[in-house]
Amino acid sequence: MAKHNSKTKPAKNITAPGISVSAGIVMGKALFVGRDLGAPEESELSAAEARKEVKRFEKALRQSREQLEGLRQQVAEVIGEHDARIFDAHLLIMDDDKLTREVKENIIQQKRNAEYIFQKIFERYTQALSKVDDPYIRDRIADIRDVANRIIKNLRGEPADDIRNLDHPRIIVAHDLAPSDTVSMTKEQVLGFVTRIGSRTSHAAIMARALQLPAVVGLGDSFQQIHNGDMLILDALRGTVIIDPDEKTIKRYKQRIKDQEKWFTMLESELALPTETKDGFRVQLAANIELPEEVDEIRSSFGVGIGLFRSEYLFINQPEAPSEEEQFQVYRQLAEKIYPQSVIIRTLDIGGDKFLSSQFSNEINPFLGMRGIRLSLSNPSAFKVQLRAILRASAFGKVRIMFPMISTLEEVKEALRYLQEARQELDAQGIDYHRYMDIGIMIEVPAAALLADKLAPYVDFFSLGTNDLIQYSLAVDRANPQIAYLYQPTHPSLIQLLENVVHVAYEHGKWVSICGEMASDSTLVPLILGLGIHELSMSSVSLPLVKRLIRRIRMYDAENLVREARQCGTSREVQTLCDQFIQNFVPDMFESNDND
Ligand code: PEP
Ligand code: MG
């Protein structure tokens, strides 16, 4: 055994679990990006100096505005107009006359420097906002901090953007990342990122996926173990960050990173091959997307359809809802670009942890409140705008529509009634649409899973939204890290719910797919297939691994796995069976095929 050098500190090798929001594995040094401004320096001024200070403050405001406008333009050109609109929220904050007037008055009255006054006032604003228990407002605080940070950096004469000035690539570590940070990241400078807070649906997560940077968010308290410059392994396939890994772990991960590259190469070489099990069962894979721009990559790299387009991202961060024409253009492009594959457009799923700029939720339990179809049905005119836009797009490709958060039969009937009205309106205008577009519902509330036989006659397909189905079945907030241990996809009750839905779908001759994150967990894919779910939609980054797995197992064994899982009383037992399945049938799942 090698003797340890007593001077070398042993590696901490801490594994910190988080939420993987954009898959991939990278290794590199941590770079903290803080928006903690530190204590403001205070200097006393004469009356004349205070007047000059106001001018200096105004100049910093102008500079900040120019930078934001430049950034907006750059993002619009490089990524697209939709993402660029994030900066409109920032520019709106800059237009807040009340704040800037208060700062100028206080500089004159208190005869203090601009940084000091501005920081004090802005901290007071954000403190008041942080007392509001609302995720939408928390998102806005990040935006306000981002703008304030920029103004202060301009006052101090510091460069506005650290990330863009990186000399070599690092793993960015931050309490949270504002959209303007993530948007300026490139693969040359940034390997990936890790944040203390956040969820799969936070701004940063969405942008990470769009930019294809691996990211793990929501590290919680273990975040405090990371120091600037620490070696990190960001394993966004498993959703963990390894802080200061030891030699053995580094070696293992170097191999995994190689394997990861091989997986992508392998998928490329397998693109022409069918997605089918070893005993010849065809499986349909599709991608979940949030940003319309993702469609190009899905088409060119994966050649699959879109099993879930989360249309709410067209609405979030916008000063107002997009018009029928704007929505139509986006849906039409999706339909045309993905053709001959299909796209499932889900109507607005606002509520829960996703809110509109115009919406101020004061619900105590937003996940149990005005969410998804409930909100759409409460605002029929806006709902019909979306329905008409989707119908119009159906004339340009294979478009399917899907309603989220269904819990009653009345909701299905009402949604269909509005769809019929939208059709009639288009008929009256002589506008073309596909008359037999497939209509589906998300099964993500236990009531809908149990009522599936009554819902089936009204729809063409069911899409299993296990992210919510798990949350609502087990009464576990999907975004609460404190009870994450109770969020169990292998809970035996969930298997029963899924079985019921599949059974009903088969009996009624309807098709059934799954679009929850569970479908991208390769250890659970055999269970899903064995249950009879043969259409799986997931973030595109997970497709290579899942495809690889499917091609290496037999449906016969997957069905046996389900038979055994039915006998289990705990999630752990089911998970163990799933893990054993991988060990028995695909022992080299996470390893490379060859030895180079
Ligand atoms: C789900 O609930 O599983 C789902 C796919 O929808 P979302 O994650 O958007 O709620
Ligand atoms: Mg859902």
Side-chain angles (χ1 to χ4, degrees):
M1 253 198 166
K3 237 170 95 185
H4 264 296
N5 179 351
S6 57
K7 279 188 189 151
T8 327
K9 266 209 302 186
K12 287 190 272 178
N13 208 37
I14 300 167
T15 302
I19 305 160
S20 168
V21 294
S22 181
I25 308 175
V26 284
M27 198 179 321
K29 290 202 169 163
L31 176 81
F32 266 78
V33 176
R35 45 182 39 78
D36 179 3
L37 297 165
E41 262 182 46
E42 179 182 357
S43 38
E44 265 190 65
L45 309 174
S46 67
E49 282 168 338
R51 280 195 297 279
K52 272 195 195 154
E53 193 66 358
V54 168
K55 295 261 176 292
R56 200 169 70 84
F57 177 63
E58 284 170 345
K59 185 175 164 215
L61 286 180
R62 272 198 308 279
Q63 263 180 322
S64 305
R65 169 170 287 283
E66 279 161 20
Q67 286 162 358
L68 279 170
E69 282 167 351
L71 213 45
R72 191 197 186 289
Q73 197 182 343
Q74 185 191 335
V75 172
E77 281 162 15
V78 177
I79 302 179
E81 176 61 22
H82 181 260
D83 296 320
R85 290 193 199 149
I86 286 171
F87 296 100
D88 291 341
H90 288 198
L91 287 161
L92 270 178
I93 295 167
M94 296 230 33
D95 284 341
D96 185 347
D97 282 348
K98 190 166 168 286
L99 176 76
T100 50
R101 211 176 328 115
E102 197 177 337
V103 173
K104 289 188 221 168
E105 282 166 9
N106 275 274
I107 293 174
I108 300 289
Q109 280 160 15
Q110 295 184 31
K111 300 195 184 66
R112 294 289 186 279
N113 53 321
E115 291 92 327
Y116 176 76
I117 298 288
F118 175 66
Q119 204 166 329
K120 257 187 18 180
I121 292 178
F122 134 80
E123 290 293 354
R124 206 184 64 224
Y125 265 58
T126 50
Q127 261 180 23
L129 286 178
S130 63
K131 295 210 176 82
V132 181
D133 184 19
D134 182 311
Y136 172 73
I137 297 293
R138 281 200 294 273
D139 269 4
R140 296 286 77 73
I141 293 177
D143 285 341
I144 296 171
R145 278 201 178 279
D146 199 38
V147 173
N149 211 5
R150 182 176 297 281
I151 296 171
I152 296 219
K153 282 187 169 177
N154 280 325
L155 278 168
R156 289 178 183 166
E158 291 173 4
D161 196 330
D162 302 328
I163 295 172
R164 276 191 297 177
N165 297 331
L166 280 180
D167 47 1
H168 48 270
R170 299 281 188 91
I171 295 178
I172 300 299
V173 182
H175 179 76
D176 190 12
L177 283 166
S180 56
D181 292 328
T182 54
V183 120
S184 52
M185 288 182 185
T186 66
K187 279 188 196 284
E188 287 72 50
Q189 299 142 330
V190 178
L191 295 166
F193 65 75
V194 174
T195 64
R196 180 177 192 152
I197 62 165
S199 70
R200 209 170 43 78
T201 52
S202 53
H203 284 311
I206 301 162
M207 296 309 288
R209 281 194 289 270
L211 297 167
Q212 297 174 348
L213 285 169
V216 173
V217 304
L219 235 58
D221 288 344
S222 35
F223 180 85
Q224 280 155 302
Q225 309 273 3
I226 309 177
H227 299 99
N228 214 17
D230 271 355
M231 178 58 109
L232 298 181
I233 295 172
L234 196 169
D235 182 349
L237 289 180
R238 287 177 169 76
T240 54
V241 177
I242 303 173
I243 307 160
D244 190 16
D246 59 17
E247 281 305 315
K248 219 171 110 201
T249 312
I250 292 180
K251 200 165 157 228
R252 199 171 74 237
Y253 266 94
K254 277 191 176 157
Q255 187 59 45
R256 285 210 176 130
I257 290 169
K258 263 199 195 168
D259 290 349
Q260 171 183 245
E261 282 153 19
K262 278 185 198 145
W263 281 328
F264 285 105
T265 319
M266 211 181 309
L267 178 75
E268 252 169 56
S269 66
E270 280 184 6
L271 274 181
L273 302 174
T275 310
E276 64 179 25
T277 59
K278 270 162 72 176
D279 48 355
F281 270 84
R282 280 287 175 118
V283 177
Q284 189 84 37
L285 293 183
N288 293 350
I289 65 167
E290 284 85 25
L291 305 178
E293 299 85 38
E294 288 175 82
V295 69
D296 296 316
E297 166 79 5
I298 305 294
R299 189 183 157 77
S300 60
S301 303
F302 303 103
V304 297
I306 294 167
L308 168 63
F309 172 55
R310 290 184 164 99
S311 70
E312 53 275 13
Y313 285 99
L314 292 178
F315 295 69
I316 292 171
N317 266 322
Q318 303 301 317
E320 55 193 44
S323 66
E324 178 182 323
E325 188 58 28
E326 283 170 324
Q327 289 187 53
F328 162 64
Q329 291 302 345
V330 173
Y331 304 150
R332 176 188 169 160
Q333 280 217 2
L334 279 177
E336 285 179 339
K337 284 186 173 174
I338 208 69
Y339 189 83
Q341 303 284 351
S342 60
V343 51
I344 300 181
I345 301 176
R346 179 176 73 181
T347 60
L348 204 57
D349 185 16
I350 287 295
D353 61 353
K354 294 174 274 193
F355 296 95
L356 303 178
S357 307
S358 55
Q359 196 186 357
F360 188 88
S361 169
N362 51 11
E363 292 176 306
I364 293 174
N365 287 314
F367 271 120
L368 301 181
M370 204 38 135
R371 182 183 168 191
I373 196 71
R374 302 170 184 180
L375 193 71
S376 292
L377 294 178
S378 75
N379 190 352
S381 54
F383 187 36
K384 281 209 286 182
V385 166
Q386 182 166 39
L387 296 177
R388 278 196 304 268
I390 297 173
L391 280 168
R392 285 171 61 189
S394 71
F396 295 87
K398 288 187 193 156
V399 175
R400 290 157 177 175
I401 190 170
M402 171 160 83
F403 303 116
M405 273 296 286
I406 294 290
S407 60
T408 69
L409 177 58
E410 290 91 333
E411 283 168 345
V412 178
K413 287 186 181 173
E414 220 183 321
L416 293 178
R417 186 163 57 76
Y418 287 124
L419 188 63
Q420 187 53 21
E421 281 180 23
R423 286 193 187 108
Q424 285 161 356
E425 287 163 13
L426 293 181
D427 283 340
Q429 290 172 273
I431 299 175
D432 200 16
Y433 60 89
H434 190 307
R435 281 173 198 272
Y436 304 102
M437 173 175 68
D438 271 4
I439 302 164
I441 50 173
M442 297 272 301
I443 302 285
E444 50 185 346
V445 177
L450 294 170
L451 199 67
D453 63 330
K454 303 292 185 299
L455 305 175
Y458 295 87
V459 297
D460 300 299
F461 68 93
F462 293 141
S463 186
L464 292 156
T466 45
N467 300 342
D468 280 310
L469 192 56
I470 299 168
Q471 138 164 294
Y472 294 128
S473 305
L474 306 181
V476 177
D477 180 341
R478 66 193 243 188
N480 184 341
Q482 273 174 300
I483 47 169
Y485 70 99
L486 286 172
Y487 189 88
Q488 299 163 344
T490 50
H491 196 285
S493 64
L494 189 78
I495 295 179
Q496 288 190 31
L497 289 172
L498 297 182
E499 282 212 287
N500 185 56
V501 178
V502 174
H503 173 74
V504 168
Y506 279 42
E507 263 201 337
H508 287 256
K510 311 288 163 150
W511 53 277
V512 58
S513 63
I514 179 168
C515 62
E517 290 298 306
M518 192 179 162
S520 60
D521 183 335
S522 41
T523 66
L524 302 182
V525 168
L527 187 76
I528 292 171
L529 296 184
L531 281 166
I533 306 162
H534 302 155
E535 297 208 23
L536 283 67
S537 191
M538 64 199 75
S539 300
S540 62
V541 278
S542 304
L543 287 166
L545 193 54
V546 170
K547 178 157 184 168
R548 180 182 194 217
L549 175 83
I550 291 169
R551 290 183 52 79
R552 302 170 113 227
I553 63 170
R554 293 191 305 171
M555 190 62 87
Y556 173 80
D557 298 318
E559 282 168 356
N560 275 339
L561 168 69
V562 171
R563 264 188 278 281
E564 285 184 64
R566 270 193 210 116
Q567 310 306 318
C568 298
T570 67
S571 311
R572 186 186 284 265
E573 286 173 81
V574 179
Q575 185 65 56
T576 306
L577 283 177
C578 293
D579 293 342
Q580 279 168 357
F581 184 98
I582 300 290
Q583 276 156 27
N584 291 342
F585 296 109
V586 208
D588 56 350
M589 186 58 202
F590 294 103
E591 311 299 331
S592 66
N593 267 341
D594 38 74
N595 300 320
D596 58 10

